[in-house]
Each structure stands twice: as structure tokens, then as C-alpha cells.
Amino acid sequence: MEKLIIKGGHRLEGTVPISGAKNSALKLMCASLLSPEPLTIENLPRLADITTLIDLLNHLGVTVTIQGGMGGALKGRSLTFDAGQINDTVAPYDIVRKMRASILVLGPLVARAGEAIVSLPGGCAIGNRPIDLHLKALKALGAEIDIAEGYVRASAPQGLKGGKIRFPFVSVGATENALMAATLAKGTTIIENAAREPEIADLAACLNAMGARIEGAGHETITIEGVDQLHGATYSVMPDRVEAGSYAVAALMTRGNLFLEGAKAEHMQATLDVLEEAGGIITVEDGGVRVKSNGHIKGFNVVTQPFPGLATDMQAQLMALACVAEGASVITEAIFENRFMHVPELCRLGADITVTGSSATVRGVKALKAAPVMATDLRASMGLALAGLVATGETTVNRLYHLDRGYERLEEKLRAVGAVVDRVPA
Ligand code: EPZ
């Protein structure tokens, strides 16, 4: 195990190359199961979650080959996923428990192989996270669903049939499972109240490049005309809007000036709006977004929402910002029921936060003071690392493996723009 040691108080300035989006890359990799021909995915981030999914895909029979780009550069790499033969339709507990996104093999497997047996992911640090909407969607496409001994079995030996899916509320994962499954279903599928996250549009664009017929991705209603078979393609992952947003917060907190190379403002407008209100000067430049501090940080009130609202994946980082803002901020988490696990840890750094139900009132303090902290999930860890960047003294962030799931080469990228940070054995 490793930990991060951050010496606070250094202004960040320079360029941060933004990696390919974890939450898109994982779904594109699952999409490779839909075709007997290889899918080459470019700009894949080097992250623990990507490795976990490679293990799962290998287990199912997918051959994965690296196309180069393994050097020290901060650029992503290209991998080819060849699902010519699916040897196994079981996603075992030992892999799924490491990463909930493994549930995204369910739709592609049942669509292509007629059967999928996937371990139930169970709860996680940020909430219950049931998969009922994923199952409802597959049932609407004609799959039979059984749950036994901790596994869900979806079967459609004669193939899936197009159908109408109306989600009672927005789910990113359920929309993605439905979208992938419907590409090979017979006839037309209509998904209503679909998630509109940019990662959905990225997945649909990749599937269309593979020969799918999807319209409306990125909007509330998506229409999919099923096709008999998908073919191979090469597709490049979109930039990671949450990574970009996290560095944008770092720029503000350290009164710095960062160019987020590759970031797309339209993917993160809600975050940029909050940062502007808090004292950021945001400019969209050629090839990225610049975030500069105006020298002050003002408190703000936010509520997390599905896209285009403020991403729940930015909540912990914005809370770190609120900790050092002038005045009070109210941060309401409306997506997950238990996503305030970073609060007691931020308080260990001297933050003043009171949680009432799903809202946290954060009263800005003059300075945070370093302490050892530990996090329970990925974005919470980033919130703590950001707090460490401005805390006086040396903050230790334990359980670095959470950060390694979603932030590619965090300490290298931070060091390159002036942070004093080290990864050491725990
Ligand atoms: C995706 O999770 C992301 N993960 C999450 O990012 C992100 O926080 C979340 O979307 C919301 O934006 C990946 O893309 C791998 P949901 P997902 O289904 O798809 C409830 C990170 O830090 N729900 O949109 O699992 C659910 O419990 C991660 O990178 C049901 O009740 O999220 C939650 O309250 C964390 N039944 C809400 O819907 C279902 O069947 C939204 O979840 C499915 C979801």
C-alpha cells in the first residue's frame, strides 16, 4: 500500500494534460463484447479500474493487445479488444466486487451471447446502489432475469427484441446497459428519461462507429434500430471532465493558473459556473480550458444533479474549495445517499462542516492544517488531496489505491505544475 504526502501552500501554475475519461473508457471496453471484430480504443487512461476490467474481459474470452504508447509520456495508450470468441458468460464475484462498473458487461453479453451471469455488485461506500433499473431495461428487451446465490442471470437464447424503456429516474449505468443491449436487439428500442451525460454520447458514437444505429444520445430520448452484427472500429475516449474539474478546483484553491489541456468546457459547464461564482476566471482557449484565480474564494450553494446539472463526482472537490472560501457554502448531495464520507476527514484538517440530511453547511476557515487523513472512495480522496494542497504543513493521504482508480499519474501531474507531493510506501 502507498500513501501521498503533500506539503501545502504552493501555488499551481502551468499545463495539466487531461487524460481519457475513466467513466467513458470502461463502457467502451464493455462495448467490445458486442462485436466479433476487434475494437481499438485510443486515449485509454492508465488506471486501476481499467486493469480490473481488462481482467474481467480476459476472463470472458476477450484478447487485449497494447498498440504502443507505453512510454513515460502523459498521453493515453491504445488497446485493441478482440471479442472474436466469447468463452465464458460469467462475471465472477471476485472481479465484480472490485469494481461496480463490471455490471456493464451484462447488457452486451446477453445481447451477443444470449446469456450473462454477473455477480451482484452489492453496496459501496457512497450508497446502496441497486441495479434494478438495469434489470428493468433488459426485461423490456425480452431478457429473462433470475437472481440466485448472489448472481443475476439474464438470458435471451433467441436474441433480444426492441422495446420501450422508460426510466423512472436518471441512471447513467442503466442507460448504458440498455443502449449497448439494444444495438443487437431485433427492431426498434426507445429509451425515455435517458441519462444525458457526455459519456453516454461518447458510448453511442463508438457504437455507431461499430455499425450501430443510434439517434438522440445525449438527449432524454434515445432511439436505437437494432442491427444483426456490429463490426470493428477505432475510437478515441473523450477527455475526463471530472479529472479536469478536479484540477480546476486546485487552480482556484492555490490561487493559481492552470491550463487544462484537452478539457472541453461544454462537458463541465455546471462545474465551471460554480468556479466562476467562487472567484475563478475561466477562459476557453485553443485545445483546452484555462482556470485562473482572481485572488479570492467566495462561498457558494450547490446541489448535485444528473447532467447537465452539477456532477456528484465533483461534490467532494468543491467541498474542499468551500472549506477555504470566505463565508458559508451549502452543498447538497442529491444523487447518492451516503456521499459525505470525506466530511469527518476534512474536519480533521480544521474544516468547519455541519451535515444535516443530504446537505452540508461549510463555513470557510482562514487556513486548513495538515493531518493524516484517509478516504473511502475515489472523489473523496481527491477532495482530501486538494485540501492538502493548501493546508499548512504535511498532509498524508492514506489508501492511495482509491486515487489510483481514477486519477492517472496524479502526483506527476501535480508536481509538474508546482505542487510538492510524494508517493511513499505506507
Ligand atoms: C456512474 O455511476 C459513475 N460511474 C459514477 O462515478 C457517477 O457518480 C454516477 O454515474 C452518477 O453520475 C461510472 O460511470 C463507472 P447511476 P452509476 O446509475 O452508473 C440509483 C466515480 O467516482 N440507481 O447514474 O452507477 C443509484 O443508486 C463514480 O467515478 C438505482 O436506484 O450511477 C444512484 O442513487 C462513482 N437503481 C442514482 O440512481 C439502478 O438500477 C444514479 O446512479 C441504478 C441506479
Side-chain angles (χ1 to χ4, degrees):
M1 257 210 265
E2 293 174 313
K3 58 188 182 182
L4 212 58
I5 299 189
I6 306 169
K7 273 205 186 97
H10 296 271
R11 180 175 182 272
L12 302 191
E13 178 150 21
T15 295
V16 181
I18 300 305
S19 296
K22 166 183 83 87
N23 287 348
S24 177
L26 293 171
K27 326 303 166 59
L28 302 181
M29 289 164 67
C30 293
S32 71
L33 286 166
L34 287 162
S35 170
E37 293 177 19
L39 172 66
T40 297
I41 308 178
E42 299 173 339
N43 197 30
L44 271 174
R46 296 169 174 81
L47 296 171
D49 275 9
I50 299 290
T51 311
T52 303
L53 186 56
I54 289 177
D55 288 346
L56 175 56
L57 293 173
N58 280 158
H59 170 89
L60 301 175
V62 180
T63 313
V64 182
T65 43
I66 298 169
Q67 300 298 332
M70 276 293 278
L74 292 177
K75 290 263 179 265
R77 57 184 176 163
S78 297
L79 261 55
T80 296
F81 298 82
D82 187 342
Q85 196 109 42
I86 291 177
N87 304 327
D88 200 328
T89 52
V90 181
Y93 174 67
D94 267 353
I95 303 182
V96 178
R97 74 184 164 84
K98 287 193 201 157
M99 191 186 62
R100 296 185 49 88
S102 309
I103 194 68
L104 270 307
V105 301
L106 187 67
L109 268 184
V110 69
R112 166 102 184 275
E115 181 189 69
I117 302 169
V118 179
S119 169
L120 290 167
C124 87
I126 61 174
N128 250 341
R129 305 186 74 182
I131 56 158
D132 54 319
L133 299 187
H134 299 241
L135 304 185
K136 177 185 150 97
L138 293 178
K139 270 188 198 158
L141 300 181
E144 276 198 22
I145 307 282
D146 300 300
I147 295 179
E149 295 168 7
Y151 279 78
V152 53
R153 177 170 184 271
S155 61
Q158 308 308 319
L160 294 171
K161 287 196 227 64
K164 187 165 172 177
I165 301 165
R166 180 164 176 84
F167 289 120
F169 55 90
V170 169
S171 161
V172 174
T175 301
E176 291 165 336
N177 245 334
L179 186 60
M180 289 190 278
T183 58
L184 293 182
K186 283 187 196 74
T188 308
T189 297
I190 296 175
I191 306 177
E192 289 179 350
N193 203 19
R196 289 180 280 162
E197 270 65 7
E199 290 76 13
I200 305 278
D202 211 35
L203 173 61
C206 175
L207 291 167
N208 281 344
M210 295 167 75
R213 294 175 59 199
I214 302 167
E215 273 178 25
H219 301 274
E220 259 177 48
T221 304
I222 306 178
T223 307
I224 305 117
E225 295 291 341
V227 296
D228 289 340
Q229 193 167 311
L230 295 183
H231 53 70
T234 297
Y235 192 82
S236 186
V237 184
M238 63 175 267
D240 195 314
R241 63 194 170 105
V242 183
E243 187 198 28
S246 304
Y247 284 105
V249 172
L252 235 66
M253 286 182 79
T254 66
R255 266 83 169 165
N257 178 353
L258 292 179
F259 179 61
L260 311 170
E261 189 182 50
K264 294 219 164 104
E266 65 270 28
H267 290 171
M268 49 191 291
Q269 199 52 55
T271 297
L272 296 177
D273 289 347
V274 177
L275 296 182
E276 209 154 32
E277 186 189 336
I281 302 166
I282 318 281
T283 38
V284 178
E285 297 180 6
D286 252 7
V289 177
R290 181 172 298 282
V291 179
K292 210 160 81 176
S293 158
N294 72 4
H296 294 277
I297 302 173
K298 278 200 321 197
F300 49 87
N301 298 336
V302 291
V303 183
T304 61
Q305 283 168 337
F307 192 86
L310 180 70
T312 169
D313 289 349
M314 282 304 302
Q315 184 255 106
Q317 302 90 314
L318 290 172
M319 192 176 292
L321 176 66
C323 288
V324 291
E326 293 156 21
S329 303
V330 178
I331 297 180
T332 302
E333 172 56 54
I335 305 290
F336 291 108
E337 66 266 32
N338 191 26
R339 212 173 191 182
F340 280 147
M341 303 290 273
H342 39 284
V343 169
E345 297 299 306
L346 286 169
C347 290
R348 298 192 70 247
L349 297 170
D352 178 353
I353 308 171
T354 318
V355 174
T356 315
S358 59
S359 291
T361 303
V362 187
R363 289 172 202 84
V365 294
K366 284 229 154 53
L368 295 172
K369 292 196 189 73
V373 288
M374 90 167 54
T376 42
D377 76 85
L378 168 59
R379 309 302 171 189
S381 311
M382 191 60 191
L384 297 175
L386 290 167
L389 288 174
V390 296
T392 50
E394 229 176 61
T395 296
T396 310
V397 183
N398 292 292
R399 298 192 177 166
L400 200 45
Y401 56 86
H402 286 301
L403 279 165
D404 290 337
R405 291 187 59 177
Y407 289 92
E408 186 176 32
R409 301 177 183 214
L410 175 70
E411 67 276 17
E412 271 180 56
K413 291 191 187 187
L414 282 174
R415 268 203 298 265
V417 290
V420 179
V421 44
D422 255 322
R423 174 188 288 257
V424 298

